[in-house]
Structures are given as structure tokens and as C-alpha cells.
């Protein structure tokens, strides 16, 4: 079962009738820079048979993990009214009877709300056999946030290709190269951004009512908060 850009594995794990499927994550391919932003990582014999067996068996030694986009970035993740500045989680919407407190009209319902309606499992409870996942942010978006420019501007792509020339491909940079190595190419903030993404120290404002969500790496203190939370466990 392919989870799409609008959902990630934890959202699917909430619905137990999906347990019988193996969740895979394929990228969209309508523009070259988006290819591979979602992917499946295998350690198998490089053959059709090897691939199919890894998917069917859900063996985590062979199907290592999936790579996910942040579904919160989608335009309809949470509920709300863009014009009224109303942003609700599914639970908050129910508390307000799905009515916008500002204009009194019905709010636009998002993907997460539908998941809550269909779910028969608590968050934190996961199915017995599951493939791990990681959330990545495209490198040009990390650079853009680090130098406070837009993701498609020339200065961002100039830095992007300096990294690519040095480390071959974006996956390496986002998942494997140490931050000390990354710092060689460009001053600290970009490697700090990569480090924060790897630790999940991001500030998320979910998309709603046609408005894209915001995944912020440099919101004050997100890294310190994540580290403090890790220490609790
Ligand atoms: Zn409204």
C-alpha cells in the first residue's frame, strides 16, 4: 500500500485493517527535483524476486525503512479556515462542532480528521510488524531556511550544487554525512539544519484549508526541546 504524500506510516498504523498490507512510499515524478523525496530503502539481492520477498515478508533486515515527506506540509492536513486564521486539530474541531469561531461557518476538514474518524487504534500503539521510517526535508529547503532565502532562488541552488559536487547525492547529505564534514562546505547553519532534521527537532505548523504547512528548522529552542525530551526516555 503506497502511503502518498499526504500520509506517513504512523497515520496508517492507526487503522488496524491496514495491518495486512506492507506500507511503501514512492515519490511523485512530475518534476525532476521531486524525484526520490519519498523512497523505500532495501538491503536485498538486486532482483525483482529479492525486492518482492522483502516487501511481502516485512522483514526489517531486508526492508530497512521508508523515506517520508512531512505530511503536515500538505495543504489539507489539519482543519480550519485560512482567511479567518483558524487552525484546528481534529479534536479541537469536534469541540467546536466543526464550526469556525470567527465566521460561524463550517470549517474545511483535513486528512487527519478523516484518519481520526477511521482509526481504531490509539497513537503510540502500533501494529506488530512494521517497517521503520524517517522524515526528510529537501536540501534546497534546508539551505533556504538557513540563509533566509526562498527555496528556488539562484543563491540557494548555487550552494546546493556545491554540496552535491562534494558528496554526490542528496540522500547522502541528508542521511549519512557527518555535520563536521558538512561544515567544510558552508558555514554552520546548514549543517545545523540537517542535524535538527535528523533529530526531528522541527517546529511544525500543519497545512489547512488550501494553505501549505510550515516545517521550521530554526524556530528558537526546538533543538534544546528535542534533546530535553530525549533525556526523559
Ligand atoms: Zn471562518
Amino acid at each position: 500500500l503506497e502511503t502518498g504524500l499526504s500520509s506517513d506510516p504512523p497515520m496508517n498504523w492507526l487503522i488496524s485493517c491496514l495491518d495486512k498490507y506492507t506500507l511503501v512510499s514512492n515519490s511523485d515524478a512530475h518534476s525532476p527535483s521531486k524525484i526520490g523525496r519519498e523512497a523505500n530503502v532495501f538491503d536485498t539481492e538486486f532482483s525483482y524476486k529479492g525486492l518482492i520477498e522483502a516487501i511481502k515478508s516485512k522483514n526489517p533486515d531486508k526492508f530497512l525503512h521508508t523515506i517520508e515527506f512531512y505530511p503536515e506540509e500538505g495543504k489539507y492536513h489539519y482543519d480550519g479556515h485560512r482567511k479567518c486564521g483558524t487552525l484546528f486539530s481534529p479534536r479541537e474541531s469536534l469541540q467546536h462542532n466543526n464550526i469556525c469561531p470567527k465566521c460561524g461557518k463550517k470549517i474545511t476538514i483535513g486528512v487527519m480528521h478523516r484518519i481520526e474518524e477511521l482509526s481504531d487504534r490509539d497513537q503510540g500503539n502500533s501494529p506488530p510488524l512494521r517497517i521503520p521510517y524517517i522524515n526528510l526535508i529537501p536540501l534546497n529547503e534546508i539551505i533556504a531556511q538557513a540563509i533566509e532565502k526562498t527555496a528556488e532562488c539562484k543563491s540557494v541552488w548555487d550552494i546546493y550544487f556545491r554540496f552535491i559536487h562534494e558528496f554526490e547525492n542528496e540522500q547522502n547529505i541528508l542521511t549519512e554525512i557527518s555535520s563536521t564534514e558538512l561544515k567544510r562546505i558552508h558555514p554552520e547553519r546548514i549543517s545545523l539544519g540537517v542535524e535538527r532534521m535528523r533529530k526531528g527537532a522541527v517546529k511544525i505548523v500543519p497545512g489547512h484549508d488550501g494553505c501549505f504547512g510550515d516545517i521550521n528548522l530554526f524556530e528558537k529552542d526546538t533543538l534544546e526541546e528535542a534533546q530535553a525530551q530525549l533525556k526523559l526516555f
Side-chain angles (χ1 to χ4, degrees), residues 80-86 100-107:
H81 266 172
R82 177 168 38 167
K83 282 186 187 151
C84 301
T86 304
C100 169
K102 187 127 182 237
C103 70
K105 291 181 185 156
K106 195 173 180 301
I107 49 169

Side-chain angles (χ1 to χ4, degrees), residues 22-38:
T22 303
L23 301 177
V24 297
S25 218
N26 299 341
S27 124
D28 47 350
H30 53 70
S31 53
S33 66
K34 310 281 189 218
I35 292 174
R37 68 174 167 172
E38 297 217 318

Side-chain angles (χ1 to χ4, degrees), residues 7-204:
S7 85
D8 63 3
M11 290 165 72
N12 289 266
W13 293 338
L14 294 172
I15 303 168
S16 68
C17 65
L18 301 180
D19 290 357
K20 60 184 177 218
Y21 301 106
T22 303
L23 301 177
V24 297
S25 218
N26 299 341
S27 124
D28 47 350
H30 53 70
S31 53
S33 66
K34 310 281 189 218
I35 292 174
R37 68 174 167 172
E38 297 217 318
N40 308 289
V41 181
F42 295 101
D43 182 10
T44 63
E45 169 195 319
F46 196 65
S47 68
Y48 178 77
K49 193 165 166 265
L51 196 66
I52 286 295
E53 277 178 5
I55 292 174
K56 278 188 173 168
S57 67
K58 296 192 198 181
N59 178 349
D61 294 329
K62 295 195 164 160
F63 189 170
L64 303 183
H65 58 263
T66 60
I67 293 173
E68 309 286 336
F69 186 66
Y70 276 94
E72 293 91 341
E73 224 172 318
K75 285 182 186 174
Y76 294 94
H77 187 75
Y78 260 20
D79 308 332
H81 266 172
R82 177 168 38 167
K83 282 186 187 151
C84 301
T86 304
L87 169 62
F88 282 161
S89 68
R91 200 152 291 174
E92 289 169 319
S93 297
L94 288 178
Q95 284 163 359
H96 289 87
N97 293 318
N98 296 341
I99 298 295
C100 169
K102 187 127 182 237
C103 70
K105 291 181 185 156
K106 195 173 180 301
I107 49 169
T108 308
I109 298 297
V111 181
M112 205 54 216
H113 195 108
R114 184 66 183 137
I115 301 269
E116 285 258 326
E117 283 173 355
L118 296 172
S119 77
D120 56 354
R121 188 180 268 144
D122 287 335
Q123 230 150 19
N125 267 351
S126 53
L129 269 177
R130 62 177 216 192
I131 302 297
Y133 72 100
I134 55 173
N135 288 111
L136 295 184
I137 300 170
L139 180 59
N140 65 313
E141 287 180 23
I142 297 175
I143 298 170
Q145 286 192 32
I147 65 170
E148 296 176 337
K149 294 268 166 80
T150 58
E152 296 298 333
C153 80
K154 187 178 175 297
S155 53
V156 165
W157 287 115
D158 285 346
I159 298 170
Y160 177 92
F161 283 109
R162 276 168 54 200
F163 277 99
I164 297 294
H165 286 143
E166 185 70 22
F167 301 114
E168 283 184 38
N169 66 60
E170 193 170 333
Q171 289 297 346
N172 281 346
I173 296 161
L174 296 179
T175 60
E176 285 177 26
I177 310 289
S178 73
S179 45
T180 322
E181 279 285 285
L182 294 176
K183 271 181 208 152
R184 279 200 297 113
I185 308 298
H186 202 272
E188 198 139 344
R189 246 164 93 91
I190 296 172
S191 64
L192 181 64
V194 171
E195 198 181 327
R196 287 181 170 198
M197 175 198 66
R198 289 177 184 169
K199 288 182 171 149
V202 297
K203 174 90 177 177
I204 297 174

